[in-house]
Amino acid sequence: MALMTYAQAAVAALDDAMSANDRVIVLGEDVGRGGIFAQYAGLAQKFGPDRIVDTPISEAAIMGAGVGMALAGMRPVIELRVTDFAMCAMDEIVNQAAKNRYMFGGQGTVPVVVRMPMGIWDASAAQHSQSLENWFVHLPGVVVVAPSTPQDNYSLLKAALVCDDPVIFLEHKTLWASSGEVDTSLDIELGKAEVVRTGEHLTLVTWSRQRQVCQQAIEELANQGIDVELIDLKSLWPWDKEAVLQSCRKTGRLLVVHESVQVGGFGAEIVSTVVERLPCQARRLGAPRIPVGYASELEALARVTSQQIVDYVQRMLAQHTDQVPTS
Amino acid sequence: MVRIRAFEDAAEDASQGGVAVYGQATSGRAKVRGPLHLSTGQEAVAAGVCAHLTANDYITSTHRGHGHTLAKGADMTRMMCELFGKAHGFNGGRGGSMHIADFSVGMLGANGVVGAGMPIAVGAAHAQKIQGRPDITACFFGDGAINRGPFLESLNWAQVYRLPVLFVCEDNQWSATTATSAMSAGAGAAARARSMDIEAVEVDGNDVLAVYRAAQELVNSVRKGDGPKLLHTRTYRVKGHVSVDKAAYRNPSEVEQALARCPIKKARALYLTMPGARADVLDQIEADAQAEIEAALAYADACDPPDPETAYTHIQTVGAGQWH
Ligand SMILES: Cc1ncc(C[n+]2csc(CCOP(=O)(O)OP(=O)(O)O)c2C)c(N)n1
């Protein structure tokens, strides 16, 4: 076990994977200098510029070249800087990487890991703060992962680097400096959730940075005698349906919390999946459908807070379900 | 060239009604369904370039990819099976004409998105360079594609890393129903490549020998490690954009001129001027192509369609099959 930041855990995972397989290479802007979040720190010194490849500001080409490299036998890690810039490479992600294997009848596979840091980044406004995980979950052909702890970042990045599918790897922009113990011998399977805390009264399902926000809410709820079970999905596609159903069978109440916009969000999918199968009171809580504003007053409106979670849970337990806010 | 022509003529026949665009109704009974983009009149480009490539070299293609695929060495029967949507097709019936591919001969796929093959070609060439292979990648694209971002991004990338890639602009003068000249600023693909110090050669794309010779020099240079090159071929799209497009928006005299410059006719005439040339050799080539396409059609017709259960395979490994 070693204490690492979320960023250091990513570096360690890459270091291990690149040492084990010389087909693993990194493509992206500024990666030679360690990446803008230090998530590649030291790797260029160790592996050289032929494997930690600084690229032009050409998101479509970075992603498209990653597809071509993968078809030619490499395992590229594609750095897109932030989720928001993935929009410049959308064809290459959606129509090329995700579709290649199917369209060509399995003649090739596209083992790429596409890193695109997600989420609200302080005072960065509408084009540097989005969480678009549901867009990618909607896309057949890709795996979607959103690790929340240094351990998850280490283990899931390593799992992604040996996976034959394109993996959309969403690290949260505000988690890079968070630290925790990392056991480098621990494998975490893609698609497996973690029951972070067991509880009797209600199941909270979340991922990425909202895990921390949920934990704050849970502490306060515990003080009020409300015992919440917390599930961190970690993988959003495939997601651990069994873990969620099992928990909901016990608690009878589900609240899904995500940082992305609530409308058309992945929370709706989880709620539907559960209520189609179980008698369960189920709700989702996400951001209002507004772009993230610059002023702190506006930015705050786009955040899901622990207080909101506490309020939701209290109302659900009071069973005044008609009073639960819907947006 | 003759095999490409035979294949596309047969595919066109088999498509009959095709898709309900360009004012044509679908017959619903067509054996080749959906949009069929023919390269009739452009065969010399595919043949002249691919003649210099081995099965270890890669190509990426456009939506108009039959010629490239055949010229790269793909089996005609499996191609026709794919167009018929049959299980024995290269893509197991998942791709059709617009995604025709044969990875086993290095043909990494036709593409439904204009310009999308370009960064993929660059990535394949980058991998070849990293892996120290003697192989190269040829990237076919249309004259319309040079106005999309991936063209600029790919040329720049290839030049920055000095990659073994030959960009081949198949300039057939049209983009769907619009003359490209009306929509492209400046002198075209070669001029844009030269602005990045990429050597570019312009050639008559209907003269197979000219294409062959120009491509030979460029391919040799790319193979030697001289970095990316661009071949700008000027040819003509004889048919409409898709098979059902009667292309009434064009001046008929333009088409007549192009038909007079048919690359197959030109090659035939040129060959017959050579000492010792024998017309029966050419006749035999055409007869062989006819026999090959007839066998391909018969096989494709008799072949089974894909089992619907296979719709869930080849999507992805992680989570496969759990979420029908
Ligand atoms: C990104 C994108 N935009 C538009 C289209 C629709 N489209 C298909 S082919 C085509 C014309 C392409 O012209 P060109 O690149 O010159 O190739 P050609 O068809 O002449 O071979 C268009 C506009 C597309 N497939 N992809």
Side-chain angles (χ1 to χ4, degrees):
Chain A
M1 297 278 267
L3 192 67
M4 288 185 199
T5 65
Y6 189 77
Q8 286 166 341
V11 174
L14 278 168
D15 194 341
D16 290 353
M18 292 181 76
S19 302
N21 181 354
D22 63 11
R23 297 267 161 139
V24 177
I25 83 162
V26 172
L27 303 177
E29 297 152 22
D30 302 313
V31 292
R33 295 173 61 85
I36 52 170
F37 302 107
Q39 73 274 45
Y40 299 94
L43 294 174
Q45 288 78 356
K46 180 159 180 187
F47 295 103
D50 291 340
R51 294 188 65 198
I52 302 289
V53 184
D54 271 329
T55 63
I57 306 164
S58 299
E59 284 74 15
I62 297 168
M63 190 62 220
V67 174
M69 279 194 185
L71 293 175
M74 305 296 289
R75 286 191 167 270
V77 175
I78 296 159
E79 173 60 47
L80 291 178
R81 213 174 181 99
V82 289
T83 321
D84 316 69
F85 304 160
M87 306 305 103
C88 304
M90 219 49 180
D91 172 59
E92 287 70 20
I93 296 170
V94 175
N95 293 321
Q96 314 301 331
K99 300 294 168 22
N100 193 289
R101 181 168 170 187
Y102 192 79
M103 226 159 62
F104 298 122
Q107 293 188 67
T109 57
V110 184
V112 293
V113 178
V114 195
R115 295 177 80 183
M116 44 172 103
M118 71 187 284
I120 296 180
W121 202 14
D122 282 357
S124 300
Q127 296 172 339
H128 287 70
S129 284
Q130 294 172 88
S131 294
L132 300 172
E133 64 269 34
N134 54 319
W135 290 25
F136 299 109
V137 165
H138 194 73
L139 179 63
V142 299
V143 175
V144 184
V145 182
S148 54
T149 66
Q151 178 72 63
D152 292 349
N153 215 20
Y154 178 85
S155 300
L156 290 169
L157 192 49
K158 275 191 84 171
L161 284 163
V162 294
C163 170
D164 282 337
D165 302 320
V167 180
I168 306 291
F169 203 84
L170 300 156
E171 290 146 298
H172 199 287
K173 292 164 201 142
T174 62
L175 288 178
W176 293 112
S178 66
S179 60
E181 291 290 338
V182 175
D183 175 355
T184 54
S185 67
L186 183 68
D187 290 328
I188 300 178
E189 204 183 316
L190 296 170
K192 278 278 175 276
E194 175 190 353
V195 179
V196 180
R197 179 187 193 276
T198 56
E200 294 300 318
H201 299 142
L202 179 138
T203 302
L204 255 185
V205 171
T206 196
W207 54 89
S208 190
R209 201 187 83 85
Q210 287 301 315
R211 170 169 170 164
Q212 295 180 343
V213 180
C214 284
Q215 278 173 319
Q216 288 165 23
I218 286 170
E219 271 177 42
E220 178 158 352
L221 289 162
N223 292 338
Q224 299 169 15
I226 300 173
D227 187 22
V228 173
E229 182 146 315
L230 177 63
I231 296 182
D232 179 351
L233 280 187
K234 303 176 197 286
S235 291
L236 305 183
W237 200 268
W239 63 282
D240 198 339
K241 192 173 56 172
E242 283 318 312
V244 173
L245 288 171
Q246 195 181 334
S247 176
C248 292
R249 263 183 223 111
K250 176 175 74 176
T251 63
R253 292 186 186 88
L254 166 69
L255 176 62
V256 185
V257 178
H258 53 66
E259 186 170 314
S260 46
V261 167
Q262 177 167 308
V263 176
F266 191 50
E269 173 66 27
I270 298 169
V271 166
S272 305
T273 302
V274 170
V275 299
E276 280 162 8
R277 288 166 177 78
L278 299 178
C280 183
Q281 185 192 356
R283 293 284 183 277
R284 73 242 146 101
L285 172 59
R289 192 176 179 280
I290 52 173
V292 178
Y294 164 69
S296 48
E297 294 79 359
L298 296 177
E299 188 186 273
L301 291 175
R303 288 183 190 274
V304 173
T305 64
S306 63
Q307 190 55 50
Q308 276 177 301
I309 299 169
V310 168
D311 291 349
Y312 249 72
V313 171
Q314 285 173 339
R315 286 189 225 180
M316 285 177 75
L317 277 140
Q319 295 214 319
H320 298 315
T321 51
D322 51 330
Q323 288 176 21
V324 173
T326 52
S327 68
Chain B
M1 288 197 287
V2 170
R3 290 174 70 236
I4 297 169
R5 182 70 61 88
F7 181 86
E8 294 201 316
D9 283 351
E12 185 177 22
D13 256 5
S15 77
Q16 294 174 9
V19 279
V21 290
Y22 302 97
Q24 300 279 320
T26 172
S27 73
R29 289 189 313 276
K31 290 191 171 159
V32 174
R33 301 168 58 241
L36 182 72
H37 303 90
L38 301 171
S39 65
T40 311
Q42 306 178 198
E43 296 88 348
V45 181
V49 171
C50 291
H52 304 292
L53 305 178
T54 74
N56 292 327
D57 294 318
Y58 294 125
I59 63 168
T60 65
S61 177
T62 66
H63 50 288
R64 211 175 288 291
H66 308 139
H68 309 141
T69 313
L70 277 168
K72 195 68 177 50
D75 173 61
M76 190 187 275
T77 298
R78 291 200 67 191
M79 281 179 69
M80 194 54 83
C81 286
E82 187 57 35
L83 266 59
F84 275 47
K86 297 299 180 74
H88 187 61
F90 278 120
N91 315 24
R94 288 164 168 73
S97 159
M98 210 164 25
H99 304 301
I100 195 77
D102 180 2
F103 283 38
S104 73
V105 297
M107 193 312 187
L108 298 182
N111 210 304
V113 181
V114 168
M118 303 193 72
I120 295 175
V122 159
H126 204 137
Q128 287 167 326
K129 185 174 181 190
I130 291 171
Q131 293 164 9
R133 289 155 63 177
D135 315 316
I136 71 164
T137 299
C139 169
F140 291 94
F141 60 98
D143 44 314
I146 71 169
N147 296 323
R148 284 205 64 230
F151 172 79
L152 171 103
E153 295 192 19
S154 300
L155 262 63
N156 180 64
W157 181 296
Q159 178 69 325
V160 163
Y161 299 108
R162 309 287 294 164
L163 298 181
V165 52
L166 175 65
F167 295 103
V168 182
C169 180
E170 218 165 18
D171 181 353
N172 62 19
Q173 303 174 40
W174 285 87
S175 297
T177 66
T178 305
T180 319
S181 58
M183 288 293 141
S184 271
R192 292 184 193 187
R194 288 182 195 124
S195 79
M196 291 185 227
D197 289 337
I198 294 174
E199 184 193 344
V201 172
E202 294 172 70
V203 73
D204 177 358
N206 280 33
D207 179 344
V208 70
L209 209 54
V211 175
Y212 180 90
R213 287 186 180 134
Q216 183 168 43
E217 216 158 281
L218 294 174
V219 164
N220 286 344
S221 168
V222 168
R223 229 184 262 290
K224 265 201 339 244
D226 294 347
K229 309 283 167 193
L230 186 139
L231 180 63
H232 187 159
T233 65
R234 290 188 201 284
T235 178
Y236 191 77
R237 191 193 76 197
V238 168
K239 303 274 175 154
H241 174 53
V242 288
S243 60
V244 295
D245 171 18
K246 298 286 178 263
Y249 43 82
R250 292 193 307 202
N251 185 337
S253 73
E254 186 181 305
V255 186
E256 271 164 40
Q257 283 171 30
L259 288 175
R261 297 177 51 245
C262 168
I264 297 175
K265 272 195 214 153
K266 275 183 83 153
R268 196 178 170 101
L270 177 69
Y271 170 77
L272 290 174
T273 65
M274 293 178 174
R278 283 171 36 199
D280 63 315
V281 171
L282 299 179
D283 295 341
Q284 190 58 47
I285 290 174
E286 302 213 342
D288 288 349
Q290 274 317 311
E292 189 182 3
I293 190 63
E294 271 157 34
L297 284 167
Y299 191 96
D301 206 22
C303 185
D304 288 332
D307 176 351
E309 260 306 299
T310 66
Y312 295 93
T313 59
H314 297 315
I315 299 172
Q316 60 192 101
T317 302
V318 180
Q322 293 172 26
W323 300 87
H324 281 205

